[in-house]
Amino acid sequence: PAPKVETACQSESLATMKTIRNIQDQRMELEEMLADTSYGSQDNVDAAAVEGVNLISPASGTRDQTDGRISLDDFQFEESGKRMMSCPSGRSPNYQRYRKNDERGMADFTETQCRGCEHRHHCIGRILKNGTRRVSWTRKQGALSYRRQYQRTTDFKEKYRARSGIEGTFSQLGNTHGGKHLRVRGFPAVHGATRMNFMAINICRYIRCVLERIKSMSPTSSERFSRRFLHPIISKMGHFLVQALFQTGFFKRTVQNHIILRLGLGIAS
């Protein structure tokens, strides 16, 4: 999909579902998506799951822990956040219930279960009259707890490591192609300049890929490959870029005519 520019006042989390729907509108299958923390809120994870997309992202927020007390992040939940699997000591609840109307759950641990537990003096469970400890949570809290624990696993790190590659593209956009300091004003001009920068990155990478393939060939094969693929690409590059400039509306008519005349492409103004 083509890159889209948004104003700085818009929240990054709103762009996640727009991107997913944009990809689906182009009839492209999307099963899994890697995103930065800002784009991976629990609301976005839930919305993406409805669309059949597994959104993988570090959980937002920090570990809720104060005064040495344990927190919900120390309890084991299932992925949906609706059911508690065990407490920090590995004990399963004696009884638990989840209310769908307000998406809240509670789990009870008997006095016998908690007797001798090393965390009993710092437990967040509320002690009832009969000595039972009751831990309450919302579905969102349970799901975030699961994600914070899952992101520390090797499986998550192996999946998420692929996302680090995009940082190189952003660095190339900002440092090599001047994406950090655009010499234009106005949303349409910024949008056009950004698309042209990404277009330049894709063209450079494509040519580099072709050149690497040529290097691995024999002299005869590489010459034949160059005549068939590389030479037509280079000869038509100027024509392609000028047409792209027309579509973005980045240059005024006088500059367009100047480019056309200098390149001798013979395009009617």
Side-chain angles (χ1 to χ4, degrees):
K4 291 188 175 181
V5 179
E6 294 184 347
T7 57
C9 62
Q10 290 181 317
S11 174
E12 294 178 339
S13 62
L14 300 178
T16 304
M17 294 310 300
K18 291 180 182 179
T19 303
I20 291 177
R21 295 190 178 99
N22 183 32
I23 294 174
Q24 292 176 339
D25 290 342
Q26 299 184 45
R27 299 182 180 180
M28 300 173 62
E29 295 185 3
L30 181 62
E31 298 180 355
E32 195 170 83
M33 181 176 180
L34 303 179
D36 196 4
T37 307
S38 302
Y39 301 91
S41 65
Q42 187 59 42
D43 293 335
N44 282 338
V45 172
D46 296 336
V50 174
E51 300 292 337
V53 179
N54 181 25
L55 180 59
I56 300 177
S57 167
S60 58
T62 58
R63 179 183 171 88
D64 183 17
Q65 186 177 21
T66 57
D67 301 331
R69 292 167 60 89
I70 63 175
S71 67
L72 282 174
D73 289 344
D74 297 303
F75 290 79
Q76 299 287 335
F77 291 88
E78 65 178 14
E79 186 174 2
S80 65
K82 298 179 180 180
R83 183 177 179 83
M84 180 183 292
M85 308 304 295
S86 64
C87 70
S89 297
R91 297 178 174 86
S92 300
N94 181 61
Y95 168 80
Q96 64 177 300
R97 185 179 66 178
Y98 178 78
R99 300 194 299 261
K100 293 182 179 180
N101 57 341
D102 57 356
E103 294 189 334
R104 297 186 65 89
M106 65 177 187
D108 292 344
F109 296 85
T110 63
E111 185 179 9
T112 303
Q113 286 180 300
C114 298
R115 186 180 301 132
C117 176
E118 58 180 340
H119 303 294
R120 67 184 183 278
H121 298 301
H122 307 286
C123 184
I124 61 175
R126 179 168 59 93
I127 302 178
L128 306 181
K129 291 182 179 180
N130 60 358
T132 299
R133 289 182 182 266
R134 174 168 295 176
V135 181
S136 303
W137 73 94
T138 64
R139 185 200 63 80
K140 187 174 182 178
Q141 289 175 327
L144 284 172
S145 176
Y146 172 86
R147 291 176 58 195
R148 291 190 182 109
Q149 294 182 14
Y150 174 66
Q151 71 189 31
R152 296 194 290 267
T153 63
T154 304
D155 182 50
F156 174 85
K157 294 177 181 178
E158 287 296 323
K159 289 183 177 180
Y160 197 69
R161 64 185 298 183
R163 190 205 161 275
S164 60
I166 195 61
E167 295 298 337
T169 301
F170 293 148
S171 176
Q172 187 177 5
L173 172 67
N175 299 324
T176 306
H177 296 273
K180 293 182 178 179
H181 305 284
L182 297 177
R183 297 174 177 266
V184 294
R185 287 187 178 184
F187 191 82
V190 171
H191 180 72
T194 302
R195 294 191 65 174
M196 291 302 300
N197 283 335
F198 274 111
M199 188 184 303
I201 292 175
N202 290 333
I203 291 173
C204 292
R205 290 184 176 182
Y206 180 78
I207 293 179
R208 189 182 302 115
C209 178
V210 172
L211 293 177
E212 290 295 330
R213 183 172 180 180
I214 291 175
K215 289 181 181 179
S216 63
M217 295 179 177
S218 62
T220 305
S221 300
S222 63
E223 183 178 354
R224 186 166 55 249
F225 183 84
S226 298
R227 281 199 308 267
R228 184 176 179 182
F229 294 101
L230 187 58
H231 293 172
I233 292 174
I234 295 177
S235 63
K236 294 182 180 179
M237 194 69 67
H239 181 247
F240 172 75
L241 289 176
V242 171
Q243 286 185 331
L245 291 173
F246 285 167
Q247 295 176 1
T248 59
F250 185 63
F251 288 105
K252 294 182 180 180
R253 175 67 61 179
T254 55
V255 181
Q256 292 175 355
N257 293 336
H258 178 72
I259 293 176
I260 294 171
L261 292 175
R262 289 297 299 270
L263 294 178
L265 298 175
I267 302 177
S269 60

